[in-house]
């Protein structure tokens, strides 16, 4: 069995566990328990591996809590960001889960102890609240303590039975892949809300490549609407670790999704000191103003959400929005996210942002913001994608690529709406599709029906319309007709009709003659 087949088998197994164990509990409500248990196993094995330090004679899970000295604990927290005693390890809890009458309260105490271990250390903010959504006393697990313990034990046993191999090497990747596989499946089954916290990996890959294009190194990468962190992690997966020098930064407004993002960082072996995910409203309470500028920004912000806008008179003077001279409409915050990203972007970097297509052609404040972006030469490329690529919406969205280091005043438009492969309920971008888009983006060559570079003057004369369809002519799919051949065929047909009429007239005349 190939590694890809092993991975696929593991993913099928974990999804089966998730469905079997949850019983009558809604899958969306139950996701935190499966994801949280997988995370608990990962950090337990990660921590044990760190303590053992490759010494086969040490089995941390079999040691007594009593031998842990304050010095050992202090050093471990400074390095890993948290501490887990041997008795608190996933393996030890899972082993006796079926017979533990206080399993739910024991787990709650362990999670609290892991989070509390970071108190007073630099990692405190990264660890605090990680297990907040893993509520072991929730009635979603059952009406009685016995019911809750039974379901928790089933989850623990199911996750314990997953074969990730040795922790070192590929196992770390398998953990991260399994976690993202679960998130993706939950998102696919969650309807509209699924798209709010997870960007499909194939689209994330394209966005990450656009933002990182031809940058041998970036100081750090940022997502102002981080969701579960999938966009940030694509940058890690597809580029050497040393390229991203100072780590991964993001902000997320939803508390549960914020916790998913932090877990996702750990599960992809990004240590606490290499990521900074914050909870809050990016538009009205932004973090990281002291960390900007960023060389790479990736984002799939929520489409056309409401925000304070002009109801808050201070926002027009905000450094992020003031240069445009106008705020995004209160009912459509899309351009507020765009201007926020632009203000956090370095002079050498790129921002790749998924956008609702309406912002590229509507009038009013949005037209004025487009004017600001074009007049200042910030728009490098607008790419239209195929419909139904995202969870929770069938809309054919666009990707806006912003740059502050363009060498000319042309804006590129790419029509990639025909690039997709039908797969289950959604379309996907294949590696070949992504490569085709990236080649066009890199070369900036004009390609009939696919890519055009339009002058500043032409965009101005078109009222700053940035809709791809305004500049890239679609192929003519109508059937081509050869007029000369058609005329010849008509002539032949007419001759046949004339002969047929003559024959009919002759037959009629003969019949009439016989009747006389």
């Amino acid at each position: 069995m190939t590694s890809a087949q092993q991975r696929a088998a593991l993913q099928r197994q974990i999804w089966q566990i998730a469905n079997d164990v949850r019983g009558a509990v809604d899958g969306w409500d139950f996701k935190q328990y499966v994801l949280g248990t997988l995370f608990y196993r990962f950090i337990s094995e990660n921590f044990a591996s760190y303590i053992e330090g490759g010494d086969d004679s040490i089995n941390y899970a079999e040691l007594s809590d009593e031998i842990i000295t304050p010095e050992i604990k202090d050093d471990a927290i400074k390095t890993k960001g948290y501490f887990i005693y041997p008795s608190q390890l996933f393996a030890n809890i899972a082993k006796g889960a079926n017979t533990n009458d206080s399993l739910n309260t024991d787990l709650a105490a362990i999670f609290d102890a892991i989070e509390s271990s970071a108190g007073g250390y630099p990692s405190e903010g990264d660890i605090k609240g990680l297990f907040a959504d893993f509520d072991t006393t929730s009635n979603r697990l059952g009406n009685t303590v016995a019911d809750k313990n039974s379901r928790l034990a089933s989850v623990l046993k199911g996750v314990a039975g997953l074969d990730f191999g040795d922790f070192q090497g590929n196992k770390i990747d398998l953990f991260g892949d399994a976690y993202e596989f679960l998130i993706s499946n939950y998102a696919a089954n969650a309807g509209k809300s699924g798209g709010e916290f997870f960007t499909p990996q194939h689209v994330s890959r394209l966005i990450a490549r656009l933002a990182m294009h031809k940058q041998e190194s970036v100081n750090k990468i940022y997502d102002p609407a981080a969701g579960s962190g999938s966009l940030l992690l694509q940058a890690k997966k597809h580029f050497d670790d040393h390229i991203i020098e100072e780590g991964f930064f993001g902000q997320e407004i939803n508390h549960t999704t914020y916790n998913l993002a932090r877990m996702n960082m750990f599960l992809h072996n990004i240590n606490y000191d290499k990521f900074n995910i914050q909870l809050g409203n990016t538009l009205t309470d932004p973090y990281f103003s002291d960390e900007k500028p960023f060389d790479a920004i990736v984002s799939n912000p929520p489409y056309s959400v409401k925000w304070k806008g002009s109801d808050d008179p201070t926002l027009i003077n905000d450094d992020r929005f003031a240069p445009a001279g106008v705020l995004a409409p209160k009912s459509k915050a899309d351009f507020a996210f765009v201007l926020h990203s632009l203000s956090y972007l370095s002079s050498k970097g790129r921002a790749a942002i998924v956008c609702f297509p309406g912002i590229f052609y509507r009038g009013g404040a949005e037209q004025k913001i487009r004017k600001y972006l074009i007049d200042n030469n910030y728009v490098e490329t607008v790419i239209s994608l195929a419909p139904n690529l995202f969870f929770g919406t069938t809309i054919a969205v666009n990707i806006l690529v912003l740059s502050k280091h363009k060498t000319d005043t042309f804006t590129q438009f790419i029509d990639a709406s025909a690039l997709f492969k039908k797969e289950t309920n959604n379309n996907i971008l294949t590696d070949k599709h992504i490569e085709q888009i990236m080649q066009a983006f890199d070369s900036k060559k004009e390609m009939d029906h696919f890519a055009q570079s339009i002058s500043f003057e032409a965009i101005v004369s078109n009222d700053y319309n940035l809709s791809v369809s305004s500049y890239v002519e679609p192929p003519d799919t109508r059937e081509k007709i050869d007029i000369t051949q058609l005329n010849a065929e008509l002539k032949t047909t007419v001759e046949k009709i004339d002969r047929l009429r003559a024959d009919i007239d002759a037959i009629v005349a003969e019949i009439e003659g016989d009747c006389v």
Side-chain angles (χ1 to χ4, degrees):
M1 185 182 290
T2 66
S3 59
Q5 290 172 328
Q6 288 176 329
R7 193 166 300 223
L10 178 66
Q11 290 175 346
R12 285 194 300 271
Q13 185 182 358
I14 196 170
W15 187 243
Q16 190 63 47
I17 291 168
N19 281 328
D20 288 347
V21 172
R22 70 181 176 87
V25 183
D26 181 78
W28 183 247
D29 290 336
F30 196 64
K31 73 181 185 303
Q32 298 305 126
Y33 298 100
V34 181
L35 292 167
T37 301
L38 186 67
F39 176 69
Y40 175 34
R41 176 177 168 178
F42 174 82
I43 63 169
S44 292
E45 296 185 16
N46 189 317
F47 189 82
S49 177
Y50 162 73
I51 293 292
E52 292 163 4
D55 188 340
D56 293 338
S57 67
I58 302 175
N59 186 335
Y60 185 62
E62 295 179 353
L63 299 180
S64 167
D65 291 358
E66 308 303 321
I67 71 168
I68 305 299
T69 65
E71 290 77 20
I72 292 174
K73 185 175 181 180
D74 181 66
D75 285 345
I77 298 172
K78 287 177 179 175
T79 302
K80 300 302 294 180
Y82 58 92
F83 193 86
I84 305 177
Y85 283 97
S87 65
Q88 299 171 332
L89 291 172
F90 171 87
N92 287 329
I93 298 301
K95 192 186 306 179
N98 286 334
T99 57
N100 185 352
D101 293 336
S102 58
L103 178 62
N104 69 323
T105 54
D106 285 352
L107 281 173
I110 289 170
F111 297 157
D112 182 64
I114 294 173
E115 291 183 13
S116 298
S117 69
Y121 287 85
S123 59
E124 181 175 5
D126 299 304
I127 305 297
K128 185 177 180 180
L130 271 175
F131 292 98
D133 295 298
F134 198 126
D135 184 0
T136 61
T137 64
S138 171
N139 286 334
R140 287 182 296 184
L141 291 170
N143 293 323
T144 67
V145 171
D147 289 340
K148 293 177 175 65
N149 287 340
S150 175
R151 185 156 275 142
L152 286 169
S154 295
V155 179
L156 289 168
K157 288 293 186 181
V159 172
L162 295 171
D163 183 13
F164 289 105
D166 294 331
F167 185 79
Q168 298 302 324
N170 290 336
K171 186 171 184 183
I172 292 174
D173 289 335
L174 287 174
F175 262 110
D177 284 349
Y179 193 79
E180 287 217 27
F181 170 79
L182 278 171
I183 294 177
S184 175
N185 274 269
Y186 281 123
N189 288 274
K192 183 178 179 181
S193 57
E196 294 177 1
F197 74 89
F198 186 77
T199 304
Q201 287 192 7
H202 52 96
V203 184
S204 297
R205 196 174 309 132
L206 171 61
I207 296 169
R209 288 189 62 178
L210 289 166
M212 300 281 287
H213 185 61
K214 285 190 173 178
Q215 297 197 71
E216 294 183 1
S217 67
V218 300
N219 61 351
K220 44 202 150 185
I221 188 166
Y222 168 60
D223 186 345
S228 59
S230 56
L231 271 170
L232 291 172
L233 289 167
Q234 282 301 318
K236 178 182 186 296
K237 282 186 176 184
H238 294 280
F239 303 95
D240 295 334
D241 289 347
H242 72 272
I243 286 182
I244 303 171
E245 297 167 352
E246 298 175 45
F248 304 79
F249 295 76
Q251 186 167 347
E252 171 56 37
I253 193 170
N254 180 281
H255 191 277
T256 296
T257 311
Y258 156 71
N259 285 335
L260 288 180
R262 293 190 295 160
M263 287 184 182
N264 215 357
M265 293 293 137
F266 281 110
L267 276 157
H268 284 83
N269 210 34
I270 301 176
N271 208 36
Y272 77 91
D273 56 346
K274 287 297 182 182
F275 75 84
N276 190 341
I277 307 293
Q278 293 291 337
L279 176 66
N281 187 322
T282 297
L283 298 182
T284 58
D285 187 22
Y287 282 86
F288 309 124
S289 59
D290 55 342
E291 292 283 353
K292 66 180 185 181
F294 295 87
D295 289 343
I297 296 176
V298 291
S299 188
N300 178 16
Y303 310 142
S304 300
V305 295
K306 295 179 181 179
W307 75 307
K308 286 184 177 180
S310 57
D311 284 345
D312 184 347
T314 66
L315 286 173
I316 193 59
N317 297 316
D318 190 299
D319 290 344
R320 298 169 296 162
F321 311 126
V326 65
L327 296 171
K330 289 186 294 183
S331 61
K332 301 175 183 67
D334 308 70
F335 264 132
F337 283 103
V338 169
L339 292 174
H340 170 89
S341 295
L342 180 66
S343 72
Y344 275 46
L345 185 63
S346 75
S347 59
K348 60 165 278 200
R350 280 191 180 89
I353 308 164
V354 179
C355 296
F356 184 81
I359 71 170
F360 293 107
Y361 58 78
R362 290 191 296 241
E366 291 176 321
Q367 184 187 39
K368 293 178 182 177
I369 294 173
R370 294 197 303 271
K371 181 179 187 302
Y372 163 72
L373 295 174
I374 290 297
D375 286 352
N376 287 275
N377 204 28
Y378 291 138
V379 181
E380 180 172 4
T381 302
V382 182
I383 305 169
S384 64
L385 298 179
N388 205 29
L389 291 174
F390 293 79
F391 299 122
T393 180
T394 60
I395 295 170
V397 301
N398 292 175
I399 298 177
L400 173 65
V401 182
L402 300 176
S403 170
K404 293 182 178 178
H405 59 273
K406 288 173 62 181
T407 56
D408 58 42
T409 58
F410 284 80
T411 298
Q412 184 188 40
F413 295 88
I414 298 176
D415 183 359
S417 59
L419 301 184
F420 67 91
K421 177 185 177 184
K422 181 70 176 175
E423 189 172 277
T424 62
N425 294 326
N426 285 83
N427 296 327
I428 66 165
L429 291 172
T430 66
D431 289 342
K432 182 179 179 180
H433 295 149
I434 293 171
E435 198 58 43
Q436 191 173 343
I437 295 170
M438 289 306 303
Q439 287 177 2
F441 176 74
D442 175 59
S443 70
K444 297 296 188 290
K445 291 181 180 177
E446 298 198 351
M447 303 168 66
D448 289 345
H449 314 304
F450 187 68
Q452 297 291 319
S453 290
I454 306 301
S455 69
F456 166 77
E457 293 78 13
I459 294 175
V460 172
S461 66
N462 197 21
D463 295 327
Y464 294 93
N465 187 320
L466 296 181
S467 177
V468 173
S469 61
S470 295
Y471 304 102
V472 182
E473 183 180 354
D476 188 349
T477 57
R478 294 174 299 178
E479 183 181 358
K480 291 181 172 59
I481 298 173
D482 187 329
I483 298 299
T484 302
Q485 181 181 349
L486 180 61
N487 285 334
E489 290 174 354
L490 285 172
K491 183 178 179 181
T492 302
T493 301
V494 169
E495 290 174 351
K496 288 179 179 179
I497 292 172
D498 289 342
R499 285 198 301 272
L500 183 59
R501 282 176 176 165
D503 291 343
I504 292 172
D505 289 343
I507 293 170
V508 170
E510 183 179 344
I511 293 172
E512 289 176 343
D514 291 341
C515 294
V516 172

